[in-house]
Amino acid sequence: MNITTAVMVQILAVGAGATLTMDIWRFLLLKVFGINSLDLSLLGRWVGHLPHGRFFHAKIAGSERIKGELLLGWITHYGIGIGFAMMLSLFWGAAWFASPVLLPALTVGLATVLAPWFIMQPAMGLGVTAANAPSPNAVRLRNLAIHLVYGLGLYVSALALNWLIASIRFNL
């Protein structure tokens, strides 16, 4: 598949916008309900250990800290969000960005939950689908919710980008 520069910019903007939507959701969960759903320093710690050949941790919170792990976690978080946005063009074509539809965005959002369930959570010591967490079903529900929010963010971000592009063209 040949992805043009314009499509790459759309993927970048929509992926970043969807990830920002997740972050706004996470912020609201924390401020309104006191729920801290994701510690990005732990994500950075996990990624920081990868170059040293350490993929699995008994408990990532107990693993040695990595210098700059919070920044690395934020960069990784947005990189993953942008990378997952590429699934829209791969499965629904680049035309999806010009004419976004909600169902494909929600489908991608829901599909992205497979990465934490089957890669990150086991690697960080939580087990497959957070089976080793103190409240696995609560974690799973939060995972599903935040990934659906990501999917909604894909859709809303694509709409916003189209509005912005149309506004710029109209004013030229």
Side-chain angles (χ1 to χ4, degrees), residues 71-164:
L71 177 61
L72 182 57
W74 277 101
I75 292 168
T76 302
H77 174 59
Y78 273 82
I80 291 168
I82 291 165
F84 280 147
M86 192 175 294
M87 290 172 45
L88 288 163
S89 65
L90 293 175
F91 293 107
W92 285 276
W96 182 90
F97 291 94
S99 187
V101 179
L102 181 60
L103 186 59
L106 291 177
T107 301
V108 167
L110 192 57
T112 62
V113 81
L114 298 176
W117 280 0
F118 295 102
I119 299 170
M120 293 174 66
Q121 289 172 355
M124 292 180 169
L126 286 174
V128 173
T129 66
N132 299 336
S135 301
N137 287 332
V139 173
R140 293 172 192 137
L141 186 59
R142 282 196 308 267
N143 292 160
L144 286 169
I146 200 159
H147 284 262
L148 283 173
V149 167
Y150 171 78
L152 183 62
L154 290 169
Y155 177 68
V156 170
S157 296
L159 290 176
L161 181 61
N162 285 337
W163 175 84
L164 180 63

Side-chain angles (χ1 to χ4, degrees), residues 12-33:
L12 178 73
V14 170
T19 307
L20 177 62
T21 304
M22 284 178 76
D23 291 335
I24 292 168
W25 175 260
R26 288 184 326 111
F27 177 79
L28 291 173
L29 282 177
L30 181 61
K31 294 301 178 186
V32 176
F33 299 106

